[in-house]
Amino acid sequence: EALLQKAIAIGDRAKLESLSGLPTLAELPGHRGSAPRFGTDLSFDDAVRGLRARLLRAMGPGAKRVLLTAPFGGEGTTTTAINLSRAFAELGEDVLLIEGDTRRPVIAGLLKVESGEGLSNALSNPEIATEATKPTSIPKLFVLAARSVRRETLPTSAYVPEVLDQVLTDVAKTFERTVVDGPPVLATADSGLLGGAVDATVLVLRAGRTTEDELADALTALRAAGANVVGTVLTDARIARHTRAATKTYRAKVGGPA
């Protein structure tokens, strides 16, 4: 059956947009699941800033909360969410990055934050939601992310939507932008619930890996949950040769590395 599913061709933005009916907000270069960290590679930084700009236009004025999720897992959602959060912080905004996957905590470890409480704790005790946010070593960037999962930790879908709405509303009051890193859409009901509680949802897909069926099923599930899916991000994208050449030539003219 898997052989009958067609993978999205590497870098095939036109095909992705035809299948999804959505704009591609960014094509992020990478190789076999690895990608640079925002602030370490000029060309990659430009791509993330392009994502930031297109997402802001797609969200519209007044929208503050965005969910990043993927169909299957392994598409690079967490890396993309962290890099996007860094890019928002670069604008001088106070940014909150929420780990929406309460059963697989990784963000606090990646950002070296000593954090004991995450979204699940905030949902079970909404009064502590704002206090549970922690600063990171990156100026203007804060997280709501547990360092480890506890046996009694419940998934987001175990709570009624009104509780999630209230917690996100409460924490968003303190921050100018909230980015939620969600679990895979096809693996859990959590991302659908999260999608209904934010202003905009972005679906992350990996070039050459995500299949047409996964894309279609993920969009159906998100829309059924009331998510406002505003666009997609294609990771591991192969950047066209003429684009790379233009970038290299431009960087040489301005005196910076390609």
Side-chain angles (χ1 to χ4, degrees):
E1 181 181 351
L3 295 176
L4 299 177
Q5 297 178 329
K6 296 180 181 178
I8 296 170
I10 291 177
D12 196 345
R13 176 178 187 156
K15 182 177 182 182
L16 171 56
E17 292 184 348
S18 174
L19 290 168
S20 68
L22 296 166
T24 304
L25 301 176
E27 294 173 277
L28 300 180
H31 181 64
R32 293 183 179 178
S34 66
R37 189 178 75 246
F38 183 78
T40 63
D41 181 283
L42 288 175
S43 297
F44 184 79
D45 290 356
D46 278 350
V48 176
R49 290 187 184 109
L51 166 60
R52 179 185 70 194
R54 294 183 196 102
L55 176 58
L56 287 174
R57 283 196 292 267
M59 290 174 68
K64 297 171 60 176
R65 300 179 296 195
V66 59
L67 167 71
L68 273 67
T69 185
F72 197 78
E75 291 89 345
T77 310
T78 298
T79 300
T80 304
I82 292 174
N83 283 327
L84 177 62
S85 298
R86 285 175 176 264
F88 278 132
E90 182 188 51
L91 294 177
E93 296 183 341
D94 285 325
V95 180
L96 177 64
L97 173 60
I98 297 177
E99 183 149 57
D101 192 345
T102 58
R103 288 170 281 197
R104 186 178 166 270
V106 296
I107 288 176
L110 290 171
L111 294 178
K112 298 180 172 58
V113 175
E114 291 298 331
S115 175
E117 296 166 322
L119 179 59
S120 182
N121 305 98
L123 290 172
S124 62
N125 187 7
E127 291 77 21
I128 64 131
T130 302
E131 300 169 18
T133 62
K134 303 290 183 184
T136 71
S137 61
I138 302 154
K140 298 286 190 176
L141 179 57
F142 300 77
V143 296
L144 178 61
R147 192 69 191 241
S148 60
V149 63
R150 298 169 185 166
R151 183 174 298 177
E152 68 273 14
T153 297
L154 294 174
T156 304
S157 54
Y159 299 90
V160 296
E162 291 77 13
V163 173
L164 178 62
D165 291 346
Q166 189 58 54
V167 166
L168 291 186
T169 299
D170 287 346
V171 296
K173 289 176 183 174
T174 313
F175 301 93
E176 294 165 273
R177 194 75 53 188
T178 302
V179 177
V180 183
D181 174 27
V185 179
L186 301 182
T188 169
D190 293 11
S191 279
L193 192 69
L194 289 163
V198 297
D199 301 307
T201 295
V202 174
L203 192 61
V204 180
L205 312 159
R206 189 174 296 288
R209 172 170 173 171
T210 304
T211 67
E212 294 183 18
D213 286 350
E214 289 167 1
L215 170 62
D217 290 350
L219 285 174
T220 298
L222 286 169
R223 286 167 175 159
N228 174 30
V229 187
V230 298
T232 63
V233 169
L234 192 63
T235 61
D236 271 12
R238 179 178 293 172
I239 307 303
R241 184 179 298 173
H242 60 270
T243 300
R244 295 198 306 270
T247 301
K248 187 174 182 179
T249 301
Y250 178 75
R251 296 296 182 202
K253 287 180 178 177
V254 300

